[in-house]
Amino acid sequence: MRYGHFDNERREYVIERPDVPVSWTNYLGIKDLCTVISHNAGGYSFYQNAEHKRITRFRANGVPLDRPGHYVYLRDDDSGDYWSVSWQPVGKDLKKAKYQCRHGLSYSKFSRRYSGIQAEQTLFIPPEDDVELWDVKIRNTGSAPRRLSVFGYLEFSFHHIEIDNQNLQMSLYASGSSYGDGIIEYDFFYEPTTFHYFAANFAPDGFDSMRDTFLGNYRSETNPIAVETGQCQGSVELGGNHCGALHKHVTIAPGEEVRLVFMLGVGARTTGQEIRSKYAQFANVDQAFADLRAYWDRKLAVFQCKTPHAGLDAMANIWTLYQAETCVVWSRFASFIEVGGRVGLGYRDTSQDVMSVVHTNPGKCRQRIVELLKAQVSMGYGLHLFDPDWFDPEKQKIPPFKSPTIVPAPDRASMIHGLKDTCSDDVLWLVVSVCEYVKETGDLTLFDEVLPFADHGQVTVYEHLRRTLDFSAEQVGPTGICKGLRADWNDCLNLGGGESAMVSFLHHWALRAFVEAAWFLGHDADAEKYSGVAERVRAACERVLWDGEWYLRGITAKGLKIGSRESEEGRVFLESNTWAVVSDAASPDHGRKCMDAVDEHLYSEYGIHLLWPAFSKPNDDIGFMGRVYKGIKENAAIFSHPNPWAIIAECKLGRGSRAMKFYDSMLPYNQNDKIEIREAEPYSYCQFVMCQDHTAFGRARHPWLTGSGGWNYTAVTRWMLGIRLSFAGLIVDPCIPCDWKEFQVTRQWRGATFEITVSNPSGVEKGIRSITLNGKPAEGPIPPQPTGSVNHVAVVMG
């Protein structure tokens, strides 16, 4: 079943049927102000922080879906009929009204044709202003004049998620609203500097700032009394539940269009007056939208491909990069699933997110790298979940929110957790991300920058990375394999002090990346030392972890092998076998065999399962894994995040057709016409898909904020298409299906443009016969070229 289509020319996903099974969301904002919005204009806004700086209210996992939101209502003042520009919240009969939603890059556009009126509401946040604009256009397509009432409506939050949802004896009396000069100002009295406003480019004919007055008792956003009767009550109050509602009467002649702009912003009424003055000019609204489009034009131009695979092109050129960028900017805790109940950065999450978009967002990636390094302790491990503000001296000068409800505040020392709460993989990802950032930017000074540890002391970034590698080398078990500690990448696999195959493979991967950097920087002694460490890690992995057909996943503290042929449950795991190959620790023969096992035991039409068979019995020796339902999330679901690791592994083995088979199985684009099965949006990777043993096999859950986006982008661009970097230069080494005859890539790097054409006359899956740069034979990596130059790279496979 199909609910929409990809419009690649406009870079939009067009939802033609709004009655989709679940919320299909989008992210507005590229800097400090963010709105998470659904296909029906439901959602919420926050400023910088989804936990403590909420702007609008949201009731997660509620019924009806996606309430409240950022709504525009229209009312026929002659007949009394009313509707919303988005299908919900009024929800007119779809046989009588035509609705459409276009999710674009940092904007969403809702349109509706009903009763002779064509209306459109475009939501976006200008790149340079902390305001969300609602650009509303209403056209009379009939033959008679129409008298309409237009209402803009939102519900304000109590600013902090915990008092939004829990402490109502406090929050209901903590905020107030006032109206003046056509602007609703909302304040949070406990924080004297916190204000938000709702304004418009017109002089309102009415307003309400009290939610219950606008909606009415025993009503909801579906049938507000103010809209039903056609008038607001001018309500303001100190305390209570607050909203922003502005009303305007318009008369529209046949064929005529009116345009209104609503503004939701951060700041007091004076700020609202300045913003209103600016965006009351339609030219400034149009320019802000053009600036937003140009922002994404510049990003997407850094890497564009044209291949025989339309779905790959649409996702790699637009949607997967967009998802990866969203994760770097907004981390994990602002969605319809994670609704702001936690704050800050997950160490492993952000460390991985960074490496996928160093080419399109180097500034943000550098910021994240520095924040992560400041959250590393001197012993070498990272703080698994932390708030960067903890380690920012400027942010520490800002007094924190003080609740009148006495809650003991943690001191700094309590923020630094010990080994018992340490995840063994966290900082290893960052070693490679730092190297990828430097390869992309050429910013070698990063290695020499001195940054503090979270606990005490400060060293260079280079030394931070050495501490990471040394920590993993010290934290090994009796067989020489790295300890799992609290957990590795799989939070639910807790080996009780046992050993993790995945972490040893990651350690080998990080060591090899560091050695490459050390040779390039002239640190020959370190390069030789850590090459030796890497070889010892590789040898231990082959000696201890090879199980005959695949690699073990780990060994518990009691010596039980996990992921073994001898195991009754959890015999084969995806993570350890893919990383054996990705890390280059596996021998060629073992690499082929273990990935054959992945294909045989874990592959399905909707992606690769995390393990097989699922655990059915609780077992505290392996932690929480046995307490997750079979086929859901970490217990044998099709977990999306490690699926691209299998693609990379197959590319390293030179098996392009199998890499494409794995890619196609999970590709959201391919499931656009299977929404009755998938349910989730087909333009975003989700955290997981229900496994083939589950009654809901193929159902995807938890979109957007997952490492799946960044890793799939990396797998496609750097390994399938083969455009990646070394410290010496640009590498072109694709691994593709044998029936691909040609593809093109445009890649911008260090100020130069590379127009790359890859031809495959012999129908091979991997291997390069020749490369020319601007008509001349090229040997080895292509070095940086002059700024502004356009360079033609011709690659012949064979």
Side-chain angles (χ1 to χ4, degrees):
M1 188 178 296
R2 169 184 169 137
Y3 287 78
H5 68 274
F6 290 86
D7 184 339
N8 295 329
E9 184 175 343
R10 295 188 183 185
R11 301 195 306 246
E12 296 173 339
Y13 187 84
V14 185
I15 301 171
E16 300 155 326
R17 284 186 54 182
D19 57 336
V20 297
V22 294
S23 304
W24 287 10
T25 51
N26 194 16
Y27 282 77
L28 318 182
I30 58 175
K31 201 172 180 180
D32 290 324
L33 181 61
C34 177
T35 296
V36 190
I37 202 77
S38 83
H39 63 290
N40 281 317
Y44 62 95
S45 299
F46 64 91
Y47 181 69
Q48 296 177 333
N49 183 314
E51 182 177 17
H52 297 306
K53 294 184 179 180
R54 297 295 278 260
I55 299 174
T56 56
R57 193 80 178 269
F58 187 67
R59 295 173 180 83
N61 197 31
V63 178
L65 212 59
D66 306 345
R67 300 289 183 94
H70 298 187
Y71 302 131
V72 172
Y73 298 91
L74 302 180
R75 179 182 186 273
D76 187 317
D77 285 339
D78 291 317
S79 69
D81 190 16
Y82 62 90
W83 57 96
S84 47
V85 177
S86 50
W87 180 47
Q88 295 295 327
V90 175
K92 284 291 187 182
D93 187 340
L94 293 176
K95 295 178 181 178
K96 299 178 180 178
K98 176 68 174 178
Y99 293 88
Q100 187 183 85
C101 170
R102 288 179 172 265
H103 282 324
L105 303 183
S106 298
Y107 68 89
S108 289
K109 184 176 294 187
F110 308 92
S111 62
R112 189 264 320 118
R113 293 200 306 271
Y114 174 74
S115 185
I117 297 294
Q118 170 70 42
E120 178 182 280
Q121 174 191 8
T122 302
L123 297 180
F124 72 99
I125 296 170
E128 299 304 324
D129 288 314
D130 293 324
V131 62
E132 179 187 270
L133 300 180
W134 306 5
D135 188 3
V136 180
K137 299 174 183 177
I138 308 167
R139 176 176 293 276
N140 181 356
T141 61
S143 58
R146 299 293 293 274
R147 296 190 316 118
L148 303 177
S149 279
V150 185
F151 298 85
Y153 172 79
L154 56 88
E155 182 180 346
F156 283 113
S157 164
F158 293 125
H159 300 286
H160 298 269
I161 191 71
E162 64 268 29
I163 65 172
D164 244 0
N165 297 321
Q166 298 171 14
N167 197 357
L168 298 182
Q169 63 86 21
M170 168 184 157
S171 54
L172 283 172
Y173 313 103
S175 57
S177 54
S178 63
Y179 179 82
D181 192 24
I183 298 173
I184 293 173
E185 181 187 78
Y186 176 64
D187 73 86
F188 190 63
F189 194 63
Y190 292 160
E191 293 178 352
T193 60
T194 299
F195 295 91
H196 300 132
Y197 63 84
F198 191 49
N201 70 327
F202 53 81
D205 294 318
F207 75 92
D208 273 311
S209 63
M210 302 308 297
R211 180 196 69 187
D212 299 340
T213 302
F214 181 83
L215 296 181
N217 290 333
Y218 304 105
R219 290 171 175 261
S220 71
E221 299 88 355
T222 299
N223 57 344
I225 189 65
V227 177
E228 189 173 290
T229 61
Q231 60 182 6
C232 294
Q233 300 301 313
S235 57
V236 295
E237 195 170 290
L238 300 181
N241 293 292
H242 296 264
C243 71
L246 297 175
H247 173 207
K248 184 64 177 176
H249 291 291
V250 296
T251 300
I252 311 176
E256 187 180 47
E257 179 179 277
V258 298
R259 186 177 182 185
L260 308 173
V261 181
F262 295 91
M263 307 163 203
L264 168 65
V266 177
R269 180 172 290 111
T270 52
T271 303
Q273 290 167 332
E274 295 172 3
I275 291 294
R276 182 182 61 185
S277 177
K278 178 177 180 178
Y279 290 111
Q281 306 299 317
F282 295 137
N284 290 334
V285 177
D286 294 338
Q287 185 60 55
F289 190 71
D291 290 345
L292 182 64
R293 294 296 296 264
Y295 171 89
W296 284 106
D297 285 344
R298 291 191 297 272
K299 281 188 180 293
L300 269 57
V302 177
F303 189 104
Q304 287 287 291
C305 62
K306 184 178 181 182
T307 76
H309 193 310
L312 185 152
D313 290 354
M315 296 300 287
N317 289 337
I318 306 169
W319 294 100
T320 311
L321 174 65
Y322 181 39
Q323 182 177 3
E325 282 264 353
T326 300
C327 288
V328 167
V329 175
W330 302 118
S331 188
R332 290 293 187 275
F333 307 131
S335 69
F336 280 18
I337 306 302
E338 288 269 14
V339 291
R342 294 189 287 174
V343 70
L345 303 177
Y347 210 105
R348 78 160 65 97
D349 296 330
T350 305
S351 295
Q352 293 172 80
D353 291 342
V354 162
M355 73 178 72
S356 63
V357 296
V358 288
H359 60 313
T360 57
N361 205 339
K364 192 68 177 182
C365 288
R366 196 184 202 283
Q367 174 195 329
R368 290 296 192 222
I369 287 170
V370 169
E371 290 168 344
L372 288 160
L373 289 167
K374 288 181 178 179
Q376 181 187 29
V377 303
S378 55
M379 190 176 175
Y381 62 85
L383 303 181
H384 186 64
L385 177 62
F386 70 96
D387 187 340
D389 289 358
W390 295 349
F391 310 111
D392 186 333
E394 293 302 314
K395 296 290 179 63
Q396 291 303 305
K397 295 177 183 179
I398 302 172
F401 169 64
K402 290 289 188 181
S403 168
T405 301
I406 298 174
V407 178
D411 58 23
R412 185 185 179 94
S414 68
M415 300 174 183
I416 313 299
H417 61 66
L419 276 179
K420 70 180 180 66
D421 293 317
T422 295
C423 290
S424 51
D425 65 310
D426 275 347
V427 193
L428 289 170
W429 306 101
L430 186 58
V431 176
V432 178
S433 286
V434 169
C435 293
E436 289 299 318
Y437 170 82
V438 174
K439 292 173 188 176
E440 180 66 40
T441 63
D443 181 13
L444 294 173
T445 63
L446 178 62
F447 284 118
D448 296 323
E449 187 170 337
V450 176
L451 294 174
F453 289 111
D455 52 351
H456 56 77
Q458 58 180 21
V459 295
T460 64
V461 170
Y462 182 85
E463 179 62 23
H464 272 271
L465 303 186
R466 285 195 354 146
R467 297 277 182 101
T468 298
L469 301 172
D470 292 345
F471 174 79
S472 292
E474 293 162 2
Q475 296 297 318
V476 296
T479 71
I481 299 302
C482 289
K483 292 179 180 178
L485 302 179
R486 170 64 179 79
D488 59 24
W489 171 84
N490 189 330
D491 287 316
C492 292
L493 185 63
N494 317 118
L495 299 173
E499 298 164 273
S500 166
M502 182 178 180
V503 176
S504 276
F505 291 133
L506 285 176
H507 190 204
H508 187 260
W509 178 62
L511 283 162
R512 285 172 59 87
F514 181 80
V515 166
E516 183 188 4
W519 284 122
F520 185 76
L521 294 169
H523 299 320
D524 294 0
D526 278 347
E528 291 179 0
K529 172 186 174 181
Y530 287 99
S531 292
V533 176
E535 175 54 29
R536 290 193 292 275
V537 172
R538 188 203 64 77
C541 289
E542 287 287 75
R543 182 182 70 254
V544 176
L545 300 175
W546 180 247
D547 197 49
E549 297 294 331
W550 56 77
Y551 288 92
L552 301 177
R553 181 59 175 84
I555 305 170
T556 71
K558 295 179 180 178
L560 176 67
K561 295 179 179 179
I562 304 298
S564 167
R565 290 176 300 166
E566 303 167 3
S567 303
E568 178 185 353
E569 298 177 333
R571 296 182 69 204
V572 187
F573 278 77
L574 180 58
E575 313 102 300
S576 51
N577 287 291
T578 54
W579 273 102
V581 179
V582 173
S583 69
D584 295 314
S587 68
D589 178 58
H590 288 177
R592 287 188 292 270
K593 283 183 176 179
C594 74
M595 290 307 298
D596 286 346
V598 165
D599 186 41
E600 178 183 354
H601 298 292
L602 303 181
Y603 171 77
S604 80
E605 62 183 298
Y606 294 118
I608 308 170
H609 292 76
L610 190 60
L611 61 95
W612 173 86
F615 291 98
S616 62
K617 299 183 287 286
N619 180 353
D620 290 337
D621 288 341
I622 62 170
F624 198 71
M625 182 74 79
R627 301 182 188 276
V628 179
Y629 283 128
K630 292 173 63 175
I632 296 177
K633 289 179 69 69
E634 287 86 352
N635 190 8
I638 300 165
F639 216 83
S640 304
H641 192 138
N643 265 248
W645 301 340
I647 297 169
I648 296 171
E650 290 294 351
C651 288
K652 286 204 161 197
L653 294 172
R655 302 193 292 199
S657 293
R658 184 179 286 176
M660 183 58 72
K661 181 178 89 167
F662 288 169
Y663 176 73
D664 270 334
S665 67
M666 174 153 279
L667 186 64
Y669 181 98
N670 288 348
Q671 298 165 23
N672 188 67
D673 296 349
K674 300 178 181 179
I675 298 305
E676 74 279 8
I677 297 171
R678 176 181 173 82
E679 293 194 351
E681 47 266 65
Y683 48 86
S684 168
Y685 284 94
C686 291
Q687 184 195 61
F688 74 98
V689 177
M690 296 294 193
C691 93
Q692 58 190 353
D693 296 328
H694 195 280
T695 54
F697 176 43
R699 180 187 296 164
R701 283 294 182 263
H702 305 176
W704 280 102
L705 301 187
T706 159
S708 313
W711 272 110
N712 273 286
Y713 186 77
T714 295
V716 168
T717 58
R718 299 181 193 173
W719 294 100
M720 296 176 76
L721 302 183
I723 315 298
R724 55 186 181 273
L725 298 173
S726 70
F727 284 104
L730 183 73
I731 295 170
V732 184
D733 182 24
C735 184
I736 57 177
C738 58
D739 58 359
W740 278 26
K741 296 305 179 185
E742 185 177 277
F743 69 88
Q744 293 87 36
V745 170
T746 299
R747 175 69 156 91
Q748 296 175 2
W749 178 49
R750 298 193 193 176
T753 298
F754 297 83
E755 299 287 355
I756 303 167
T757 299
V758 177
S759 58
N760 186 20
S762 302
V764 301
E765 296 191 352
K766 193 175 178 69
I768 300 299
R769 181 184 300 168
S770 66
I771 300 180
T772 61
L773 172 64
N774 297 324
K776 298 178 180 179
E779 300 254 343
I782 299 170
Q785 298 297 303
T787 299
S789 64
V790 178
N791 303 277
H792 299 279
V793 181
V795 179
V796 180
M797 296 181 68

